[in-house]
Amino acid sequence: MRLIRVCVVNCDLLIKQSLAEDSKVGEAIKSFMDKRMDVPDDLIIPLLRNRLSQLDCVTRGWVLHAFPTTRRQSEGLTNLGFEPNRVLLLDVPKDTILERLTLRSTDPQTGERYHLLYNPPRTNEIKQRLQTHPEDQEDRVTERFLAYQEHVEDIADYYERFAQHINADQDPHTVFEYIESMIVNPLPRKE
């Protein structure tokens, strides 16, 4: 297996870090999160600009996770001078997403993660204490899925030259290997 050396930049983690740093941006973000509202792009974009401008991202490249989710965000990223050379869009049916996300849980004592179908707890005692993250409740997963479906084609159109749909309704290792090969293999030369 080849080692991928690009920086994985998770927008959700950047938001959490800004909250932990207790900065002005973090305070502004907190007010939206407390109300369970989407964090506005004008707060997220500066976080991304700062992170993507750091030396590791500049020298090794980056993979964005959880961003962009709309065409407007895609345009904002381009306006900052950050344009991806590949955009991978994972195609998964809603029922598969629900199965994958709503059946996962964590043991609060050990931190070990379980999935009721693919990695069930070994004992009934463990099963009884498992906790499901609020974002993995069916209504929240459905809400995120519908939001993705609403904007995915706009993003694909915006990044037309770079966008590739991936059938992610298969074994996770197969999907990972496919994505890895798309990242590590050189881009075709432009003629």
Side-chain angles (χ1 to χ4, degrees), residues 49-73:
R49 179 182 53 228
N50 181 45
R51 180 64 185 105
L52 297 178
S53 298
Q54 292 177 5
L55 184 61
D56 60 342
C57 287
V58 172
T59 57
R60 296 188 343 221
W62 42 267
V63 173
L64 288 182
H65 182 268
F67 195 91
T69 59
T70 65
R71 183 182 183 105
R72 182 170 176 237
Q73 290 177 345

Side-chain angles (χ1 to χ4, degrees), residues 17-28 47:
Q17 287 170 345
S18 75
L19 292 171
E21 292 169 357
D22 203 26
S23 64
K24 287 186 180 187
V25 173
E27 285 180 28
L47 294 175

Side-chain angles (χ1 to χ4, degrees), residues 33 59-60 122 157 165:
M33 294 191 73
T59 57
R60 296 188 343 221
R122 293 174 293 287
D157 288 345
H165 285 269

Side-chain angles (χ1 to χ4, degrees), residues 102-117 119-133 137:
T102 62
L103 298 179
R104 63 185 183 176
S105 53
T106 304
D107 182 340
Q109 289 183 7
T110 65
E112 193 166 341
R113 292 188 259 178
Y114 293 94
H115 190 280
L116 295 180
L117 290 178
N119 181 29
R122 293 174 293 287
T123 68
N124 197 38
E125 178 186 343
I126 295 172
K127 185 177 182 179
Q128 295 303 313
R129 67 179 182 239
L130 292 180
Q131 295 179 348
T132 301
H133 193 282
Q137 298 298 324

